[in-house]
Amino acid sequence: MALFVITRQLLRLVLLHAAWEVGSGQVRYSVPEESKHGTFVGRLAQDLGLEVAELVSRLFRMVSEGRRDYFEVNLQTGVLFVNSRIDREELCGQSPLCAIDLEVIVDKPLRVFHVEVEIKDINDNAPAFSVHEKNLFILESRLLDSRFPLEGASDADIGTNSLLTYKLSPNEYFSLDLQKNNEQKKSLVLLLKEPLDREETPVHHLLLTATDGGKPELTGTVQLVITVLDANDNAPVFNQSVYEVRLLESAANGTLVIKLNATDLDEGINKDISYSFSNLLNPTLRKIFSIDPKTGEVRLKGELDFENISLYEIQIEASDKSAFPLAGHCIVMVQIIDVNDNAPVLAVTSLSLPVPEDAPPGTVVALLSVSDRDSGDNGKVTCSISPNVPFKLVSTFKNYHSLVLAEAVDRERVSEYNIVVTARDEGAPSLSATSSILVPIADVNDNAPAFLQPLYTVFVKENNPPGAHLFTVSASDPDLKENAFVSYSVLESSVRDKPLSSYISVHSESGHIYALQPFDYEELQVLQFQVSARDAGFPSLCGNVTLQLFILDENDNAPAVSPPPSGRGSPVTELVPLSAGAGHVVGKIRAVDADSGYNAWLCFEVQEPRTAGPFRVGLYSGEISTTRALEEADGPSQTLVIVVKDHGEPAMSATATVSVSLVESPRAVKWDSRQTGRSEGSLVDMNVSLIIAICSVSSLFVLVIIVYVGLRCHPGPEVMYGSGKPTVVCSSEVGTWPYCQRQSRNLCVGEGAAKNDLMVFSPNFANSSESGIIERQQEFTLNAPVEVSDESNFSEKFNTSFMGVSFL
């Protein structure tokens, strides 16, 4: 029962200790050296707070810097066990603390844990002497309590396992004395208790036994063979038994370590002294130090390394030159002073690359370890990274650092960073080491496709073939791979109650825009739509651009002559009194053209000028008038065939037949009575109305001139976009005549000799109500006639002097 209580208390103490270890941020275990493969060390996953089932999926791994794989983790149970034989003496030598640092790394998310496994010493090394038999020569004249140094045994273990006790086989002449040298080394001395008598006992055989403090105890022995000599009674004596010297590890060869001096009270040859290293001296020290046998000067002849050995114990003896020489002994303790001769060592133990450009600050990029073999300030290392990079170093554990993201990165601005990590110690002068880490930035879809301009204006002639290429849009995306792969599409909308997709299409990869059907200017003048560019990222991003497609008119409609009121197909009959003089207006031909601009500008001419007699037709007004006074010889009637032509390329035409009858009574003359149904009074009223309209148009014309001059002095955008129908857009593709996208009427005035012609452009009105408006507009008569001199070169003059007024 008592045993159960004690066991429970011990278990509670162990659990409390383990909980304290985990809470401190580091897990510590201990295991005896020489443990067999598979020996249980600890439940690592449980102590680190990890789920055993997640070890494989989270890429659990363990790193041991500069060590063999002494330990392994069972990923199925999370247990840490011994993987290979551990020899503490081979691993740590005589160091009082021997531990193996393990670094446990798990990904998703990345975490680092530090585990320390202390290697416990066991008593697996017995004390050992350097020789099995030691010969000593001692004069019989030596005084009692004379001391003879012995080489002690060595034990590779530490602690109580290396605490040695010595025992000499029973005898009446000698005993052992163990002395401490400045609390650093213990010297084993053979002490003479009784005077020696060579004649009685010339040789003494003693057994020296060394026993360690382990359980169970281990022992080692050496046989002491003591030969008793006769003669020389005084041995050389040093003024100190122990000398202490401090020497820089950077000392050059030949540097004087110490000059020794021993004295001998004898005379003659027994007083001459020779200095030498003791036979007990380690052969390694003979390669580093030398001694002058005459002067006793100890000099350096090899290289020192504080990191390997920081303290040297040199055993020196001074012997006289008698036939039976006597010797005095001393110890020189050489303390090596560390200099900063080792640069820091940087090692990258783990990398998590590339870094996504949307990674949050604090993301761990790499794990680094740094070490320096020097001690004190020479071994203190500080780490830094190159400036002006969005990264920083964070110290994690002892000499471990984490390279973490300090601020947001943008791959489109900087695609990779070459980070130089510098480790510098605090020695004087300081030493440093550098390591470069190339950190690429991974792309994410954070940039939408962009067009060079927000709006494109495209001109296309009507009657284009189906499938004709109209325009190519192109958008750029600074991302990479699928995030930069752009596909194009048209944003669906409705045009004249038809879907936009029935008019145009866009190639998804090239951005080519094609016409799916021929365009008709008379039906559609402007087609405005949007094209979308979308990348293939996830989630995808898109950008839009607006296209304005202006349809250019072609001369695909022939002029249409308005029929007389009497019915379609009837020739026009005009009555002219015989008393009519030159310039008398007989009638007027009315015609319209569904085209626009230059293609709708009509001219009138007699088909057979030789048969026209005393009549002519206004080139642009269509008015039939007399060229001279009428005569009876002209006949009772004449038939005129009037050709109406437009100015398109090629020109299109229509014909109208006019029958002119000559009458004697002026009362019978009516102004186009069958066509207009107006009386003379109505005609006067109409002329007054026309005069008022012409004055209004002239005023509007002057106003337009003023506005035009003002706009020329104040530059502005040529094309304005907004809702509804677009404004007038002029293109050079239709020649020197203005091309108007909206329905308009252009009143044009030319220069030249007297011709009473009023030129009116016919717009592309299709329905009868619009045709009526055109007819009324073509019936203007100018009281102050517009003069056109040479009709043949009127087009050339019109190109240089044309001024227009647009009625929208």
Side-chain angles (χ1 to χ4, degrees):
M1 183 63 181
L3 180 60
F4 174 78
V5 173
I6 294 173
T7 303
R8 186 172 64 180
Q9 294 295 333
L10 290 175
L11 180 60
R12 181 180 298 173
L13 290 175
V14 171
L15 291 176
L16 289 174
H17 178 70
W20 181 86
E21 292 291 336
V22 175
S24 63
Q26 177 184 359
V27 178
R28 294 185 177 89
Y29 299 108
S30 63
V31 64
E33 67 173 329
E34 303 295 340
S35 296
K36 295 181 179 179
H37 174 76
T39 300
F40 175 86
V41 179
R43 299 186 183 278
L44 182 59
Q46 178 179 345
D47 295 339
L48 293 178
L50 301 174
E51 293 294 333
V52 176
E54 297 178 355
L55 296 183
V56 176
S57 63
R58 293 186 64 184
L59 302 179
F60 180 96
R61 61 189 184 277
M62 186 172 64
V63 179
S64 177
E65 179 189 7
R67 308 284 191 181
R68 295 186 305 176
D69 295 330
Y70 292 110
F71 301 95
E72 189 61 54
V73 176
N74 188 330
L75 297 181
Q76 305 300 324
T77 62
V79 172
L80 180 68
F81 61 90
V82 176
N83 186 45
S84 60
R85 173 181 172 271
I86 305 175
D87 187 351
R88 186 192 184 284
E89 289 70 34
E90 178 184 352
L91 191 64
C92 302
Q94 295 292 321
S95 176
L97 177 62
C98 183
I100 297 177
D101 290 330
L102 304 177
E103 185 172 325
V104 177
I105 303 172
V106 292
D107 292 333
K108 302 177 182 178
L110 180 63
R111 293 188 63 190
V112 181
F113 304 91
H114 302 283
V115 179
E116 182 178 278
V117 182
E118 181 181 3
I119 309 303
K120 297 290 187 181
D121 183 53
I122 64 173
N123 193 25
D124 58 339
N125 293 281
F129 291 90
S130 60
V131 293
H132 296 290
E133 184 176 293
K134 176 65 178 175
N135 294 313
L136 297 175
F137 300 90
I138 302 177
L139 285 174
E140 62 177 351
S141 59
R142 294 298 294 265
L143 300 177
L144 297 180
D145 295 329
S146 294
R147 307 170 70 84
F148 306 96
L150 298 176
E151 180 184 12
S154 61
D155 194 325
D157 296 322
I158 64 168
T160 57
N161 296 329
S162 65
L163 294 178
L164 303 182
T165 58
Y166 296 90
K167 182 179 179 182
L168 192 64
S169 58
N171 68 92
E172 62 178 319
Y173 294 99
F174 298 95
S175 64
L176 292 177
D177 185 17
L178 193 63
Q179 290 186 338
K180 293 183 178 180
N181 297 328
N182 198 22
E183 298 182 357
Q184 295 179 346
K185 292 288 183 178
K186 295 182 179 180
S187 299
L188 184 63
V189 176
L190 186 65
L191 186 65
L192 183 60
K193 298 190 298 182
E194 295 293 334
L196 298 175
D197 187 357
R198 188 190 64 80
E199 288 73 24
E200 181 179 351
T201 307
V203 180
H204 298 269
H205 294 275
L206 304 177
L207 184 64
L208 178 61
T209 303
T211 304
D212 62 23
K215 293 186 182 298
E217 298 177 346
L218 298 178
T219 61
T221 60
V222 63
Q223 186 72 34
L224 300 180
V225 179
I226 302 174
T227 302
V228 181
L229 302 177
D230 194 18
N232 197 6
D233 327 331
N234 294 288
V237 177
F238 290 95
N239 56 358
Q240 292 179 218
S241 60
V242 177
Y243 295 90
E244 295 182 357
V245 179
R246 294 169 61 86
L247 190 64
L248 291 173
E249 66 171 323
S250 59
N253 290 345
T255 300
L256 177 65
V257 179
I258 191 173
K259 182 176 182 181
L260 300 173
N261 184 34
T263 58
D264 195 322
L265 298 178
D266 294 327
E267 295 291 336
I269 195 173
N270 293 331
K271 189 177 182 179
D272 294 337
I273 297 174
S274 177
Y275 300 93
S276 64
F277 291 126
S278 173
N279 293 329
L280 306 177
L281 189 67
N282 192 321
T284 304
L285 297 182
R286 297 179 182 272
K287 298 179 181 180
I288 300 176
F289 299 97
S290 65
I291 187 170
D292 191 319
K294 294 182 179 180
T295 62
E297 293 180 349
V298 178
R299 293 186 178 274
L300 183 67
K301 72 171 184 178
E303 294 184 356
L304 301 176
D305 190 353
F306 173 85
E307 287 70 39
N308 290 333
I309 302 176
S310 60
L311 179 65
Y312 292 93
E313 180 182 334
I314 307 175
Q315 297 174 343
I316 299 176
E317 63 180 27
S319 303
D320 57 29
K321 297 182 179 181
S322 65
F324 302 98
L326 298 178
H329 302 83
C330 74
I331 296 176
V332 177
M333 306 295 294
V334 181
Q335 179 71 42
I336 306 303
I337 301 174
D338 181 44
V339 296
N340 193 24
D341 58 344
N342 290 282
V345 177
L346 271 171
V348 179
T349 61
S350 181
L351 285 173
S352 181
L353 299 176
V355 177
E357 62 178 325
D358 61 349
T363 301
V364 178
V365 177
L367 298 176
L368 304 97
S369 64
V370 60
S371 59
D372 195 317
R373 297 182 60 201
D374 293 322
S375 63
D377 291 341
N378 297 330
K380 293 180 180 179
V381 180
T382 56
C383 291
S384 62
I385 61 175
S386 50
N388 302 323
V389 294
F391 299 91
K392 65 180 179 179
L393 280 179
V394 177
S395 178
T396 56
F397 172 74
K398 287 187 177 179
N399 294 328
Y400 289 90
H401 296 78
S402 296
L403 180 65
V404 301
L405 189 63
E407 58 187 63
V409 292
D410 185 1
R411 189 206 64 81
E412 287 71 38
R413 186 171 59 88
V414 181
S415 60
E416 64 181 13
Y417 293 89
N418 187 16
I419 302 175
V420 179
V421 182
T422 303
R424 185 177 301 276
D425 60 30
E426 297 182 7
S430 63
L431 300 177
S432 63
T434 60
S435 179
S436 295
I437 302 176
L438 187 64
V439 181
I441 307 300
D443 182 53
V444 298
N445 193 23
D446 58 347
N447 290 279
F451 293 91
L452 293 179
Q453 58 190 66
L455 184 142
Y456 291 95
T457 300
V458 182
F459 296 88
V460 59
K461 291 183 178 180
E462 65 174 332
N463 302 318
N464 57 283
H469 176 255
L470 304 179
F471 191 67
T472 299
V473 293
S474 177
S476 61
D477 194 320
D479 293 324
L480 290 179
K481 297 181 179 178
E482 65 274 3
N483 295 333
F485 181 77
V486 178
S487 61
Y488 303 92
S489 63
V490 175
L491 296 182
E492 191 58 59
S493 61
S494 177
V495 180
R496 293 182 177 266
D497 298 329
K498 292 182 180 180
L500 178 64
S501 57
S502 65
Y503 288 92
I504 56 97
S505 69
V506 60
H507 193 276
S508 61
E509 294 184 3
S510 64
H512 295 332
I513 299 176
Y514 300 95
L516 298 181
Q517 64 181 20
F519 293 110
D520 187 357
Y521 173 83
E522 287 69 40
E523 292 183 1
L524 181 66
Q525 291 80 45
V526 179
L527 181 61
Q528 180 170 309
F529 57 92
Q530 285 190 321
V531 175
S532 175
R534 184 176 295 275
D535 59 31
F538 182 79
S540 63
L541 302 175
C542 68
N544 299 333
V545 67
T546 300
L547 274 81
Q548 281 193 337
L549 186 64
F550 289 92
I551 314 301
L552 303 180
D553 182 50
E554 286 191 337
N555 193 26
D556 56 347
N557 291 280
V561 179
S562 299
S566 60
R568 297 181 177 271
S570 319
V572 178
T573 302
E574 302 291 348
L575 299 179
V576 180
L578 289 173
S579 60
H584 178 79
V585 176
V586 176
K588 185 174 184 178
I589 301 299
R590 296 173 176 83
V592 295
D593 194 316
D595 292 322
S596 178
Y598 196 74
N599 297 325
W601 181 34
L602 304 181
C603 62
F604 303 84
E605 60 185 22
V606 179
Q607 189 176 37
E608 294 294 335
R610 291 176 296 176
T611 63
F615 301 101
R616 65 176 293 274
V617 63
L619 181 62
Y620 300 109
S621 65
E623 289 184 346
I624 302 173
S625 60
T626 57
T627 58
R628 56 179 174 78
L630 298 179
E631 301 174 354
E632 291 183 359
D634 293 327
S637 66
Q638 289 191 14
T639 300
L640 302 177
V641 179
I642 308 300
V643 179
V644 183
K645 293 183 180 180
D646 58 27
H647 285 74
E649 290 292 339
M652 304 186 74
S653 64
T655 61
T657 302
V658 179
S659 177
V660 181
S661 298
L662 303 180
V663 296
E664 294 181 0
S665 174
R667 294 181 180 179
V669 178
K670 295 184 179 178
W671 170 252
D672 198 19
S673 59
R674 289 183 299 169
Q675 295 186 23
T676 60
R678 298 187 183 96
S679 63
E680 294 181 357
S682 300
L683 182 60
V684 173
D685 293 337
M686 184 185 67
N687 290 336
V688 174
S689 301
L690 288 177
I691 293 173
I692 296 174
I694 291 173
C695 293
S696 301
V697 168
S698 301
S699 301
L700 183 60
F701 174 76
V702 174
L703 179 61
V704 169
I705 293 296
I706 296 174
V707 172
Y708 174 77
V709 173
L711 291 177
R712 293 291 291 177
C713 297
H714 185 275
E718 295 183 1
V719 181
M720 300 179 62
Y721 303 93
S723 59
K725 292 186 177 180
T727 56
V728 176
V729 179
C730 295
S731 170
S732 62
E733 295 188 29
V734 296
T736 58
W737 295 95
Y739 174 86
C740 300
Q741 289 295 128
R742 303 183 98 183
Q743 304 292 350
S744 62
R745 297 295 297 165
N746 294 330
L747 300 182
C748 303
V749 179
E751 298 176 357
K755 288 281 184 170
N756 298 339
D757 291 340
L758 174 64
M759 296 174 294
V760 181
F761 290 163
S762 300
N764 54 343
F765 291 126
N767 54 46
S768 60
S769 61
E770 293 175 343
S771 299
I773 297 174
I774 297 172
E775 293 177 2
R776 288 193 297 272
Q777 289 179 345
Q778 288 184 338
E779 291 174 359
F780 294 164
T781 301
L782 297 179
N783 289 335
V786 179
E787 296 180 353
V788 179
S789 59
D790 187 0
E791 295 181 353
S792 63
N793 63 354
F794 177 78
S795 297
E796 180 181 357
K797 294 185 178 181
F798 185 85
N799 288 335
T800 60
S801 62
F802 171 77
M803 299 300 293
V805 179
S806 297
F807 300 94
L808 303 182

